[in-house]
Amino acid sequence: MARPPARRRTTVLCATAALVAGLGIVPAAAQAGAGPAQGADTAQGAGRAPAKTPLAVGRGGAVASVDTDASAAGIEVLKGGGNAVDAAVATAAALGVTEPYSGGIGGGGYFVYYNAKARKVFTIDGRERAPLSADKNLFVEKGHAIPFDEAMTSGRSVGVPGAPATWDAALRSWGSRSLGQVLKPAERLARKGFTVDETFRQQTADNEKRFRDFPATAKLYLPGGKLPAVGATLKNPDLARTYELVGKRGVGAMYGGELGRDVVRTVRKPPVAPGAHRVVRSGDLTERDLRAYAVKRPGPTHTTYRGLDVYGMAPSASGGIAVAEALNILEKSNLRKLDDTAYLHRYVEASRIAFADRNRWIGDPAQEKVPTAALTSKRFAASRACLIKDSRALTSPLAPGDPRHPKPCGTTGRAAPTPYEGQQTTHMTVADKWGNVVAYTFTIEQTGGTGITVPGRGFLLNNELTDFSFTPVSPGVHDPNLPGPGKRPRSSISPTVVLDHGKLKFALGSPGGATIITTVLQTLLNRVDRGMPLVDAIAAPRASQRNAATTDVEQALWDSSVRRKLEAKGHVFKLNPSFIGAATGVERLPDGRWLAAAEKARRGGGSAMVVRPGR
């Protein structure tokens, strides 16, 4: 099984420490309102990062992302008459410039779209695929799994990028603008540059040793051989040219053209700096693999909760199923009336159970039999809910249930612990004046992906194939997430749309590896059951239980009396030294206005914008 790297990711200001006293939310003062993208021509070292605001309310459409320049790119498209799909692709491309360590054209993701006129939810699975030559021993040498750090920084971990195909498919199906048109804001941003903030600099510092071993990466992200200074302008003319190429020639440039050839060349012979001592394995990606890639269009997962319809992403993502199962388990509990201790106890236990089942049953449905309908059924949830006891906590790893033949409090087979997943992903939520909404989460897996930049192209390659189990998680038990030819690795990505009698109530999503599922679930419960405004539901302190011996918690929960009360029930906690997730969402208010919400402090804070602020 893959092991997590020893280092931790970016340590930024913990969101919850400043937001809570005990568990009472104290809304942080909103920062200055964010305007159009700023800092493009800032002098080196003298710039200033664009202001962020976590909350915006108004009309004409909305965008919420982790970055001001990216949100502004989406707003620009909306102001120009584009719809939510157009704006989502524009925002994603801009995030490829300003959040290149989390997502970009070299990665993939999952796109959930709500069509207001049809009152229907549609999805695109743009997950990366393994090469057609891959087998279950992709990450095994001499009978043993290769070290995670070596797998991560290698051509072997690179899956066929799905982002370009996702953007193209979404625009062709539901957009009103061409790919070339919506890539223009990001192309301009890459050419003129963006302002480096504390988070970007720290992420670069965390990757500095890796980046120095790849000349194209070092040239781009360590200008002059040094870490970029906060306030400096970072330009990426190679990525600007890549966007220009894709805009003019279409995604065939990736899946059968010169851009794809450069990707294959880089994967098969990673360009390592002379004198570097790092073990960097080659990959077996071919141009045939690129030509064979196609997005999938599965139906969304669906369940009902408190009279609302909750839609999510189906496999190869596991998030839609896991969130639905946990909601079904919790539905018979009156979470609104419970005190904080009882509420968090039931939430943690439902998460534990959902992950036990997720780990055993979910893989790429093209190669695995995934009982999606059974896993998301009320009947199966009822058979699992009886495991929860108010007086004591369950212990992990918990054995899964059998959704095909559910028995009250029944388990089957051996427990399957949750393997490690890279946590640096990015999410945006977009709405337009017609009521259409997009929740789109995409990634290159690790912070900085493989660390390998395609020379002359300005983007990092993903290391998504490390989301596979390297070897069976539980020896002797079928693991649905082993590598295979053309297989998509399982993901925890969970873009979620919530409807009230067919009309959009709210939509949300988050980065965070396996913590994505718990972040989305807890935020949804905070909004629906605990009655928190969306921005406070996002800001509230988080706990994440993933069928592990310990439950991760943020500082505010670690310091609270609630932790001690839960420990008396048998819960075991581990302090997350930074943060869990980084959510964004949009909500339709009763008067028709849009509310966009993002993080107040996690990951440097998020950026919420609307086309026309106010009433």
Side-chain angles (χ1 to χ4, degrees):
M1 183 178 70
R3 294 182 298 170
R7 68 172 181 82
R8 286 294 302 175
R9 286 173 180 71
T10 312
T11 301
V12 300
L13 176 65
C14 178
T16 56
L19 291 173
V20 297
L23 280 182
I25 298 293
V26 181
Q31 295 173 300
Q38 302 172 33
D41 297 310
T42 303
Q44 183 81 3
R48 187 174 182 178
K52 292 183 177 181
T53 179
L55 177 65
V57 179
R59 300 186 185 276
V63 181
S65 80
V66 74
D67 179 74
T68 304
D69 287 323
S71 294
I75 291 293
E76 177 183 330
V77 170
L78 291 174
K79 285 183 175 180
N83 64 25
V85 173
D86 305 323
V89 175
T91 303
L95 285 167
V97 179
T98 61
E99 284 279 297
Y101 306 153
S102 299
I105 199 169
Y110 298 90
F111 193 100
V112 176
Y113 168 63
Y114 167 70
N115 183 297
K117 185 176 181 180
R119 294 191 177 186
K120 290 184 178 180
V121 176
F122 303 89
T123 69
I124 296 176
D125 178 338
R127 182 64 155 157
E128 301 85 345
R129 289 179 66 195
L132 295 170
S133 61
D135 61 20
K136 65 180 181 179
N137 294 315
L138 179 66
F139 293 110
V140 175
E141 291 180 354
K142 298 180 180 179
H144 299 282
I146 65 177
F148 186 91
D149 282 350
E150 293 182 14
M152 173 184 75
T153 308
S154 73
R156 193 171 300 188
S157 65
V158 180
V160 178
T166 301
W167 300 350
D168 185 63
L171 290 169
R172 288 179 183 273
S173 296
W174 312 299
S176 67
R177 300 290 186 269
S178 71
L179 182 59
Q181 287 175 307
V182 299
L183 289 179
K184 284 297 182 184
E187 179 188 333
R188 184 175 64 245
L189 181 62
R191 186 167 286 113
K192 292 187 176 181
F194 68 95
T195 305
V196 173
D197 62 10
E198 293 278 2
T199 301
F200 186 88
R201 187 183 192 280
Q202 184 60 55
Q203 288 178 332
T204 309
D206 289 344
N207 279 284
E208 184 176 1
K209 289 183 179 179
R210 281 207 304 159
F211 286 2
R212 289 193 183 281
D213 286 342
F214 302 101
T217 307
K219 180 181 177 182
L220 178 56
Y221 296 119
L222 299 169
K226 298 179 180 179
L227 289 171
V230 174
T233 297
L234 192 71
K235 299 180 180 182
N236 192 340
D238 287 345
L239 183 57
R241 286 189 290 270
T242 295
Y243 282 157
E244 183 179 22
L245 172 69
V246 173
K248 288 180 177 178
R249 300 190 186 177
V251 296
M254 174 68 81
Y255 302 106
E258 58 189 277
L259 180 58
R261 287 193 290 274
D262 286 349
V263 168
V264 168
R265 186 181 303 113
T266 306
V267 169
R268 297 182 71 87
K269 191 175 181 180
V272 182
H277 300 292
R278 184 179 302 275
V279 176
V280 183
R281 292 170 175 81
S282 62
D284 197 32
L285 193 71
T286 67
E287 291 181 51
R288 179 187 171 216
D289 294 317
L290 295 180
R291 290 193 299 270
Y293 185 84
V295 299
K296 301 287 188 180
R297 296 174 182 266
T301 60
H302 172 252
T303 193
T304 57
Y305 186 71
R306 314 291 190 214
L308 301 171
D309 288 285
V310 182
Y311 293 91
M313 195 67 222
S316 56
S318 64
I321 288 177
V323 170
E325 182 183 345
L327 290 174
N328 289 340
I329 289 171
L330 291 167
E331 191 165 25
K332 292 187 182 298
S333 301
N334 191 343
L335 300 184
R336 183 177 290 272
K337 292 187 177 181
L338 296 180
D339 63 24
D340 290 331
T341 302
Y343 160 61
L344 285 170
H345 170 71
R346 294 194 189 181
Y347 153 69
V348 166
E349 297 295 73
S351 299
R352 189 194 311 270
I353 294 168
F355 266 91
D357 298 326
R358 171 254 198 198
N359 296 346
R360 170 62 183 84
W361 297 106
I362 303 177
D364 183 351
Q367 299 185 29
E368 303 288 339
K369 293 182 179 180
V370 183
T372 299
L375 285 165
T376 56
S377 70
K378 303 289 186 181
R379 179 185 176 211
F380 180 58
S383 76
R384 302 292 276 157
C386 62
L387 292 169
I388 299 177
K389 308 298 182 185
D390 286 338
S391 60
R392 66 181 186 276
L394 293 163
T395 57
S396 289
L398 180 72
D402 187 344
R404 303 161 302 179
H405 307 288
K407 296 179 181 179
C409 302
T411 57
T412 181
R414 296 173 59 184
T418 302
Y420 176 77
E421 288 183 37
Q423 297 189 21
Q424 281 312 93
T425 299
T426 193
H427 176 83
M428 92 276 307
T429 321
V430 181
D432 64 31
K433 63 183 179 182
W434 298 282
N436 305 305
V437 170
V438 171
Y440 180 30
T441 316
F442 71 114
T443 180
I444 59 171
E445 176 60 8
Q446 203 77 11
T447 309
T450 59
I452 305 170
T453 296
V454 180
R457 298 301 185 181
F459 63 88
L460 289 155
L461 292 171
N462 70 80
N463 66 296
E464 291 294 347
L465 301 189
T466 60
D467 268 354
F468 284 123
S469 302
F470 287 16
T471 56
V473 173
S474 296
V477 178
H478 175 70
D479 189 331
N481 193 40
L482 290 174
K487 192 173 183 180
R488 286 164 156 83
R490 182 175 61 204
S491 171
S492 293
I493 286 175
S494 311
T496 302
V497 170
V498 180
L499 305 183
D500 186 358
H501 296 89
K503 295 183 178 180
L504 193 286
K505 181 72 173 176
F506 61 89
L508 74 158
S510 175
T515 70
I516 293 172
I517 292 170
T518 57
T519 296
V520 169
L521 174 63
Q522 190 173 6
T523 303
L524 191 153
L525 296 174
N526 287 343
R527 181 70 192 93
V528 174
D529 286 306
R530 307 300 279 181
M532 295 181 187
L534 185 58
V535 70
D536 291 339
I538 289 171
R542 293 186 185 133
S544 182
Q545 168 53 240
R546 306 182 298 281
N547 197 26
T550 58
T551 298
D552 287 357
V553 294
E554 293 179 323
Q555 187 74 52
L557 277 175
W558 180 263
D559 292 340
S560 74
S561 61
V562 171
R563 173 173 71 92
R564 291 181 285 277
K565 293 175 183 177
L566 289 170
E567 287 173 337
K569 295 179 182 287
H571 290 276
V572 180
F573 294 102
K574 180 178 68 176
L575 175 64
N576 185 307
S578 52
F579 54 85
I580 297 171
T584 71
V586 298
E587 181 172 345
R588 196 69 186 262
L589 300 179
D591 63 4
R593 290 182 299 162
W594 287 109
L595 180 151
E599 295 288 353
K600 294 182 178 180
R602 292 182 185 95
R603 204 157 135 179
S607 172
M609 294 184 181
V610 292
V611 172
R612 296 193 307 277
R615 296 184 179 275

